[in-house]
Amino acid sequence: MKKILNKPADFVPEMLDGLCKAYPNQLTYAEDIHCIVRADSPVKNKVALATGGGSGHLPVFLGYVGKGMLDGCAVGDVFQSPSAEQMLSVTKRIHGGKGVVYIYGNYGGDVMNFDMAAEMADMEDIKVKTVLVKDDVASAPPAEAGRRRGVAGMVFAFKVAGAKADLGGSLDEVVAVTEKALANTRTMGVALSPCTVPMAGKPTFTIGEDEMEIGMGIHGEPGMKREKLQTADQIAERMTTAILDDLKPSAGDELAVMVNGLGATPPEELYVIYRKVNQILTDKKLRVHRAYVGEFATSMEMAGASLTFMKLDAELKTLVDYPANTPFFKQV
Amino acid sequence: MKKILNKPADFVPEMLDGLCKAYPNQLTYAEDIHCIVRADSPVKNKVALATGGGSGHLPVFLGYVGKGMLDGCAVGDVFQSPSAEQMLSVTKRIHGGKGVVYIYGNYGGDVMNFDMAAEMADMEDIKVKTVLVKDDVASAPPAEAGRRRGVAGMVFAFKVAGAKADLGGSLDEVVAVTEKALANTRTMGVALSPCTVPMAGKPTFTIGEDEMEIGMGIHGEPGMKREKLQTADQIAERMTTAILDDLKPSAGDELAVMVNGLGATPPEELYVIYRKVNQILTDKKLRVHRAYVGEFATSMEMAGASLTFMKLDAELKTLVDYPANTPFFKQV
Amino acid sequence: MSETFNSQSLIGAIQRASQALIDNSEFLTSLDQAMGDGDLGITMGKVGEALLVYTKNAQPTDLGKFLMSAGMEANKAAPSTMGTLLATALMRAGKEIAGKTEFSSADAAAMLHAAFTGIQERGKANLGDKTVLDAIHPADEALSAGIASGLSLREAGLKALQAAKNGRDSVTSLQNKVGRASWLGERTKGLPDPGCNAFVVVFEAIVGK
Amino acid sequence: MSETFNSQSLIGAIQRASQALIDNSEFLTSLDQAMGDGDLGITMGKVGEALLVYTKNAQPTDLGKFLMSAGMEANKAAPSTMGTLLATALMRAGKEIAGKTEFSSADAAAMLHAAFTGIQERGKANLGDKTVLDAIHPADEALSAGIASGLSLREAGLKALQAAKNGRDSVTSLQNKVGRASWLGERTKGLPDPGCNAFVVVFEAIVGK
Ligand SMILES: Nc1ncnc2c1ncn2[C@@H]1O[C@H](COP(=O)(O)OP(=O)(O)O)[C@@H](O)[C@H]1O
Ligand SMILES: Nc1ncnc2c1ncn2[C@@H]1O[C@H](COP(=O)(O)OP(=O)(O)O)[C@@H](O)[C@H]1O
Ligand SMILES: [Mg+2]
Ligand SMILES: [Mg+2]
Ligand SMILES: [Mg+2]
Ligand SMILES: [Mg+2]
């Protein structure tokens, strides 16, 4: 896969520089330490929300920094966790007096570093709580759901938490509703082609021209199984079934649905998938409260898609519908 | 390139079905004739804006149907013009009493069909005016600018026209300001890899692993020249210079800037490009009034990017800044 | 002694042309790939299929209306450049025999002339721009001249076919001046024009070899 | 008779370990590719580079602080799982000799033990989960036992190295239970654990062969 690059080692800082130059009124970039925070940080008397993780997943993570969603993000190298020092720096920059919630994906490096940052923040009298995103049903069976990795479902967590915080929720309230959102969120994905980490210079994995990987992670972690490429309808059904078997909604339930492109897959194909997902849900008397179709959590130029459902109650519906305005996510 | 597909022949109707199911409150899909119009069409006492063109370019064309932008879109097969009958149908559905403006890219099939539709609309006493988008500097020298094809610059035309129409502009006023916008708009692109039309089943062109095509069109039309792949900075400089040489802005001028991904190129790379573009403009004392970075006009899974500048005056600035809300383009 | 032709002749001509477009799909695509977007075979094939469906079991009374509706079908099936030009040609040709149940050789010549004029008006290209016009224009002139000089439609048609081929070949060395191929500039010199070839395919199927 | 070691010994050990990580970059990457994200060589190489820079011309007085800061540098250079665990190990080892300008064999054993405990606390894995713990834990026990029984640091170190290698090899047949590799489930059985191997690389460089 060809890339538009300068020196691979400069990829992340150059990307961050360009991004913050594109949205100078919305984002501030702390260059020395690769942190992105809202330009109006710290927002006083609001619970602050921080995330962090490796680069290469835009809009995840930093694309969701903005009004109605996150306050700040620690940016790692491509597919690499940021350091505890970066996370602490974000924490201090965004803290508005009501505490900070860390919301991020369940990856070893990230967890350890966020934990270290939380310990350091605690020493500076900033109250930090953590909500881990573990939505990928393909990464572990239900009995070991605690081991699951965090993928596109984190966007729903950002959305719900951001709305609750903007509405004046307390630290505990924001944590509680985000945990509720995630308890009701599941994701499943398929990959058709790999991506290339600039520093590595070669694809993260190889896959046959007629194959797909069911349940692949967003860094190219192998999934549940490799199979012959199926039709859009079969893939949609596959993902829908895997999620419903795990989430077990009841007829009449309302869902937020996200069909997410991993990078190279065009939106047209995502809508073909959505069509079938919508059909299956309608057949099962599940109602789509809101649909999100597009690129929300990517792996650079990987081809493939993921599907996320979040089961909604009245509170989650209000928070999902709440407006947001970030460089990558706008809801009116 | 692998695709997530059912039967290739069903690709467009299935995509449209999925899309309209995803946004039932925003869009209405006339299934028989492949037209997408605003759910609240016709908007009374507003000049109505129609576009149309081949599929495979999302968000272009139909992604810009919505408040503050377009009223309707005739949807062709992948990379194919829609028919005059479809365009006439859109025209009739969206006409709110103040006339209709056709805004679309300068491609032979589209021009002839829109012309036929305009003649037919005229017979039904609907006043139609046409504004053709010809922004691609790579497709013809300045002396033959009338031959140029329409690419990502059309998004600025939609934005400006949509705002003017929403503000109550007359048919002539909307046409005049859209023409002014386009007279100040130029685009230039590079492609790194081809895409595959589902019905054709094989890539639109072939290109070496270390090559890029300068000035390639969004259907894979060959560009000005094929070269060794350059660095992001060189590519950015190349595109910027080609546009500035043609647009000839003066120091102090303000621009709207769009860095557009053609499909497979990740947003990260687009920001690396934007960084350099912004540097060059700053050096030349040109000011970026607003930057758009992302996928605005694509060629399915083609890798590459285009750059568009629109030179702004006070009126265009107001119209660019005006809010818009479509499934693919939201501005608050 | 003037020949006349009935609806079956017209339907037969449309069907032969349609089948020829389908049969030449790969050939036309390969020409369009070299200088355009490579869809010409697909679009012409679609037009052919649509017209075969349209003419199947048709028993038209008003041949003019029949041809005009054929044009609408062609446009719906493939609103590409050539599809739309072909649709325009069918509609304009239809106008020439509006209300008629049969037509003469002179009508046939008038129909080809109307098709040429329609394509020119719709596409706004000039002769020498290396478009379908450069094949249809000499054919139009030759057919009219042949009929005027008393040749049968078949004889005049064969002369017109030769003129179309000559016209097609005469522009190969030129540069395409309009349409998608024009963006390729100099690179089009020496490449046969896809649209001219499409016309020859259609016209040869109508006239016979 | 108790050995003592000065800052130069400490710096030398760090530098040998750093160089070994750089030299084994491809090897570690290949192991991580088989069951993880294939970054282990890159991240360990970055840690190695950072520590070579950090130790170059260093003249530490407080060896504890020196090691703790080395940990911070390692974390900054590569905040991956192993990078962070290694950073934690350095910081915890540093705490054991806080304020000291030289250290004894017993200190060395205490440092390795603190490193082990730190990694366990930070990563919350259990023995047998097939992580770096399964190599460092037997090394820790062997080093402490060796020093307690009067062996020189080098002799005890060689025994500990052998214990680390045995530990590493003993888990190869198991399934990875935590971290990225755990998502591969059964497929990890029979594959060597990258983290265990990274520890052996580091420890062998420190102890010598
Ligand atoms: N303006 C025009 N007038 C007449 N013929 C044209 C014009 N533009 C293009 N053509 C003809 O159309 C042919 C290409 O047809 P087609 O493949 O359908 O075009 P496209 O794919 O660009 O819509 C060209 O070879 C040329 O003969
Ligand atoms: N929770 C944990 N505790 C201790 N060691 C761990 C843990 N998780 C993973 N490891 C070790 O880390 C190694 C992988 O390191 P690394 O490549 O840095 O991980 P990642 O790329 O997932 O951040 C594994 O081989 C294992 O030995
Ligand atoms: Mg063509
Ligand atoms: Mg075409
Ligand atoms: Mg790894
Ligand atoms: Mg890693």
Side-chain angles (χ1 to χ4, degrees):
Chain A
M1 198 64 205
K2 293 180 211 170
K3 293 186 167 278
I4 303 181
L5 276 183
N6 295 309
K7 280 203 245 95
D10 296 336
F11 183 61
V12 172
E14 288 183 349
M15 175 272 284
L16 288 174
D17 185 27
L19 195 130
C20 290
K21 294 260 165 56
Y23 314 110
N25 304 324
Q26 288 176 276
L27 300 178
T28 301
Y29 169 36
E31 213 170 315
D32 48 325
I33 190 139
H34 293 185
C35 293
I36 301 274
V37 298
R38 278 172 63 166
D40 58 352
S41 295
V43 183
K44 286 283 164 226
N45 286 316
K46 186 184 84 68
V47 170
L49 308 180
T51 192
S55 292
H57 303 298
L58 280 179
V60 158
F61 296 84
L62 63 92
Y64 299 105
V65 174
K67 193 162 160 49
M69 293 188 91
L70 306 171
D71 294 270
C73 176
V75 182
D77 216 333
V78 176
F79 294 176
Q80 296 295 335
S81 172
S83 70
E85 195 186 3
Q86 289 173 268
M87 292 162 183
L88 179 65
S89 166
V90 169
T91 310
K92 292 201 276 190
R93 279 164 210 258
I94 63 176
H95 184 229
K98 285 183 73 176
V100 178
V101 186
Y102 291 166
I103 310 174
Y104 61 94
N106 184 29
Y107 296 94
D110 301 80
V111 174
M112 293 174 200
N113 281 289
F114 269 111
D115 283 353
M116 280 166 73
E119 289 163 20
M120 296 190 266
D122 187 60
M123 291 193 273
E124 310 205 15
D125 283 324
I126 302 177
K127 259 197 127 157
V128 171
K129 299 241 169 171
T130 293
V131 182
L132 271 182
V133 182
K134 309 174 183 181
D135 57 319
D136 188 352
V137 299
S139 52
E144 298 165 52
R147 278 206 297 116
R148 288 178 176 172
R149 55 195 173 218
V151 287
M154 78 177 71
V155 180
F156 284 152
F158 297 159
K159 180 75 197 67
V160 165
K164 187 73 185 178
D166 211 58
L167 286 165
S170 70
L171 184 61
D172 287 338
E173 286 169 345
V174 171
V175 168
V177 80
T178 311
E179 277 172 350
K180 177 169 76 177
L182 285 168
N184 286 298
T185 299
R186 301 286 187 286
T187 299
M188 164 89 185
V190 300
L192 275 65
S193 79
C195 59
T196 299
V197 175
M199 285 292 280
K202 56 181 183 186
T204 44
F205 58 91
T206 53
I207 184 163
E209 252 314 298
D210 57 344
E211 286 180 328
M212 64 177 181
E213 177 99 13
I214 314 280
M216 171 158 286
I218 55 173
H219 311 92
E221 299 92 348
M224 307 195 306
K225 122 187 223 212
R226 188 160 288 196
E227 291 186 358
K228 291 275 165 253
L229 184 58
Q230 294 184 304
T231 66
D233 282 358
Q234 288 169 325
I235 291 171
E237 192 163 351
R238 194 76 181 260
M239 296 194 293
T240 306
T241 308
I243 295 174
L244 292 180
D245 285 353
D246 205 280
L247 185 60
K248 301 197 198 309
S250 316
D253 278 350
E254 292 184 76
L255 306 175
V257 173
M258 176 179 285
V259 179
N260 170 56
L262 294 184
T265 291
E268 285 83 358
E269 298 177 24
L270 303 179
Y271 285 103
V272 172
I273 294 175
Y274 179 72
R275 176 181 164 275
K276 182 67 183 179
V277 171
N278 183 272
Q279 268 176 15
I280 302 173
L281 294 179
T282 306
D283 287 350
K284 295 195 187 292
K285 309 231 175 327
L286 294 164
R287 286 181 294 162
V288 179
H289 175 68
R290 204 177 256 272
Y292 296 89
V293 181
E295 293 185 357
F296 298 93
T298 64
S299 298
M300 296 189 292
E301 71 281 1
M302 192 183 283
S306 72
L307 177 65
T308 304
F309 294 162
M310 174 164 66
K311 206 167 71 185
L312 302 173
D313 61 12
E315 183 186 25
L316 291 175
K317 266 161 69 172
T318 313
L319 298 175
V320 163
D321 291 343
Y322 192 78
N325 185 11
T326 85
F328 287 77
F329 188 99
K330 291 181 173 61
Q331 199 167 285
V332 189
Chain B
M1 199 64 204
K2 293 179 208 168
K3 294 187 166 279
I4 304 182
L5 276 183
N6 295 309
K7 280 203 246 98
D10 296 337
F11 183 62
V12 171
E14 288 184 349
M15 175 273 283
L16 288 173
D17 184 29
L19 195 130
C20 290
K21 292 259 165 56
Y23 314 110
N25 305 323
Q26 288 176 276
L27 300 178
T28 301
Y29 169 36
E31 213 169 316
D32 47 324
I33 190 139
H34 293 184
C35 292
I36 300 273
V37 298
R38 277 172 65 166
D40 56 353
S41 296
V43 183
K44 287 282 165 231
N45 286 315
K46 187 184 82 69
V47 171
L49 308 180
T51 193
S55 292
H57 303 297
L58 281 179
V60 158
F61 296 85
L62 63 92
Y64 299 105
V65 174
K67 192 160 162 50
M69 294 187 90
L70 306 171
D71 293 271
C73 176
V75 182
D77 216 332
V78 175
F79 293 177
Q80 296 295 336
S81 172
S83 70
E85 194 186 3
Q86 288 173 269
M87 293 163 182
L88 179 65
S89 165
V90 169
T91 309
K92 293 201 277 190
R93 278 163 212 259
I94 63 176
H95 185 229
K98 285 183 72 175
V100 178
V101 186
Y102 292 166
I103 310 173
Y104 61 94
N106 184 30
Y107 295 94
D110 301 80
V111 173
M112 294 174 199
N113 281 289
F114 268 111
D115 283 354
M116 280 166 74
E119 289 163 19
M120 295 191 265
D122 187 60
M123 292 192 272
E124 310 206 14
D125 283 324
I126 301 177
K127 259 198 128 156
V128 171
K129 299 242 169 170
T130 293
V131 182
L132 270 183
V133 182
K134 309 175 181 178
D135 58 320
D136 187 352
V137 299
S139 53
E144 298 166 51
R147 279 207 297 113
R148 288 178 176 172
R149 55 195 174 219
V151 288
M154 78 176 70
V155 180
F156 284 152
F158 298 159
K159 181 75 197 67
V160 165
K164 187 72 185 178
D166 211 58
L167 286 165
S170 69
L171 184 62
D172 286 338
E173 285 169 345
V174 171
V175 168
V177 79
T178 312
E179 276 172 350
K180 178 169 76 176
L182 285 168
N184 286 299
T185 300
R186 300 287 186 286
T187 299
M188 163 90 186
V190 300
L192 275 64
S193 79
C195 58
T196 299
V197 176
M199 285 293 279
K202 55 181 183 185
T204 44
F205 59 91
T206 53
I207 184 162
E209 251 315 298
D210 57 343
E211 287 180 328
M212 62 177 181
E213 177 98 12
I214 314 280
M216 170 158 286
I218 55 172
H219 311 92
E221 299 92 349
M224 306 196 307
K225 140 177 211 210
R226 188 159 288 196
E227 289 186 1
K228 290 275 165 253
L229 184 57
Q230 293 185 304
T231 65
D233 282 357
Q234 288 169 324
I235 291 172
E237 193 164 350
R238 195 77 181 259
M239 296 195 293
T240 305
T241 308
I243 296 175
L244 293 181
D245 285 354
D246 206 280
L247 185 60
K248 302 197 198 309
S250 317
D253 278 350
E254 292 184 76
L255 306 175
V257 173
M258 177 179 284
V259 179
N260 171 55
L262 295 184
T265 291
E268 285 82 358
E269 297 177 25
L270 303 179
Y271 285 103
V272 172
I273 293 175
Y274 179 72
R275 176 181 164 273
K276 182 67 184 179
V277 171
N278 183 271
Q279 268 177 14
I280 301 173
L281 295 179
T282 306
D283 286 351
K284 295 196 187 292
K285 309 232 175 325
L286 294 164
R287 286 180 296 163
V288 179
H289 174 69
R290 204 178 256 272
Y292 297 89
V293 182
E295 293 184 357
F296 297 93
T298 64
S299 299
M300 295 190 292
E301 71 281 1
M302 191 183 283
S306 71
L307 178 65
T308 304
F309 294 161
M310 174 165 64
K311 207 168 69 185
L312 302 172
D313 61 11
E315 183 186 26
L316 292 175
K317 267 161 69 172
T318 312
L319 298 175
V320 164
D321 290 343
Y322 192 79
N325 184 12
T326 85
F328 286 77
F329 188 99
K330 290 180 175 62
Q331 199 166 285
V332 188
Chain C
M1 173 219 87
S2 159
E3 306 166 280
T4 57
F5 305 90
N6 63 12
S7 66
Q8 284 321 302
S9 312
L10 186 65
I11 289 176
I14 295 176
Q15 290 179 336
R16 289 195 304 281
S18 298
Q19 193 57 51
L21 285 174
I22 295 168
D23 296 343
N24 283 278
S25 171
E26 278 189 30
F27 165 62
L28 295 174
T29 288
S30 68
L31 296 182
D32 196 32
Q33 268 165 346
M35 63 159 80
D37 55 357
D39 63 351
L40 191 62
I42 298 172
T43 53
M44 291 298 98
K46 280 188 186 170
V47 168
E49 303 283 0
L51 292 181
L52 287 182
V53 169
Y54 176 72
T55 52
K56 184 156 189 201
N57 304 325
Q59 300 196 311
T61 44
D62 180 341
L63 296 187
K65 263 202 182 144
F66 180 68
L67 267 191
M68 282 194 268
S69 300
M72 295 293 282
E73 292 300 319
N75 181 240
K76 253 194 279 185
S80 60
T81 299
M82 271 306 292
T84 307
L85 292 174
L86 209 150
T88 303
L90 283 165
M91 290 191 254
R92 294 298 185 91
K95 265 198 185 166
E96 293 298 314
I97 51 169
K100 297 195 177 176
T101 53
E102 44 178 45
F103 60 99
S104 65
S105 322
D107 285 334
M111 283 156 75
L112 184 60
H113 185 66
F116 162 68
T117 313
I119 289 178
Q120 192 169 43
E121 284 173 15
R122 179 61 63 220
K124 301 188 185 70
N126 296 311
L127 290 174
D129 282 352
K130 194 171 172 182
T131 70
V132 64
L133 288 179
D134 294 306
I136 193 170
H137 177 253
D140 168 31
E141 295 210 317
L143 191 70
S144 289
I147 300 295
S149 73
L151 294 183
S152 74
L153 185 53
R154 160 126 184 111
E155 290 161 344
L158 285 170
K159 282 194 189 289
L161 176 60
Q162 192 52 52
K165 290 180 175 173
N166 294 345
R168 172 195 67 185
D169 297 339
S170 72
V171 293
T172 299
S173 62
L174 305 182
Q175 177 172 335
N176 285 65
K177 288 267 174 54
V178 298
R180 202 179 288 282
S182 74
W183 299 319
L184 255 176
E186 297 268 329
R187 297 200 214 173
T188 57
K189 286 187 181 165
L191 298 174
D193 179 64
C196 285
N197 278 280
F199 177 71
V200 168
V201 163
V202 165
F203 201 64
E204 187 160 57
I206 293 174
V207 172
K209 305 218 180 181
Chain D
M1 174 217 87
S2 161
E3 305 165 279
T4 57
F5 305 90
N6 62 14
S7 66
Q8 285 320 304
S9 313
L10 185 66
I11 289 175
I14 295 176
Q15 290 179 336
R16 289 195 304 280
S18 298
Q19 192 58 51
L21 285 174
I22 295 167
D23 296 343
N24 283 277
S25 171
E26 279 189 29
F27 166 62
L28 294 174
T29 288
S30 69
L31 296 182
D32 195 32
Q33 268 165 345
M35 63 158 80
D37 55 357
D39 63 351
L40 191 62
I42 298 172
T43 52
M44 292 298 99
K46 280 189 186 171
V47 169
E49 302 284 1
L51 293 181
L52 286 182
V53 170
Y54 176 70
T55 52
K56 185 157 189 200
N57 304 326
Q59 299 196 311
T61 45
D62 180 339
L63 295 187
K65 264 202 184 145
F66 180 67
L67 267 190
M68 281 194 267
S69 301
M72 295 291 283
E73 291 300 319
N75 182 240
K76 254 194 278 184
S80 60
T81 299
M82 272 306 292
T84 307
L85 292 175
L86 208 151
T88 304
L90 283 165
M91 291 191 252
R92 294 298 185 91
K95 265 198 185 165
E96 293 298 314
I97 51 168
K100 296 197 179 175
T101 53
E102 43 178 44
F103 61 99
S104 65
S105 322
D107 286 333
M111 283 156 73
L112 184 59
H113 184 66
F116 162 69
T117 314
I119 289 178
Q120 192 168 44
E121 285 173 14
R122 178 61 63 218
K124 301 188 184 72
N126 296 311
L127 290 174
D129 283 351
K130 193 170 171 183
T131 71
V132 63
L133 288 179
D134 294 307
I136 193 171
H137 178 252
D140 168 31
E141 296 209 316
L143 191 71
S144 289
I147 300 295
S149 74
L151 294 182
S152 74
L153 185 54
R154 159 127 184 112
E155 289 161 346
L158 285 171
K159 282 192 190 290
L161 175 59
Q162 192 52 52
K165 289 180 176 173
N166 294 344
R168 172 196 66 185
D169 297 338
S170 72
V171 292
T172 298
S173 62
L174 305 182
Q175 178 172 335
N176 285 64
K177 288 266 175 53
V178 299
R180 201 179 289 280
S182 74
W183 298 319
L184 256 177
E186 298 267 329
R187 298 201 212 171
T188 56
K189 286 185 181 167
L191 299 174
D193 180 64
C196 285
N197 277 280
F199 177 71
V200 169
V201 163
V202 164
F203 201 64
E204 187 161 58
I206 293 174
V207 171
K209 304 217 181 182

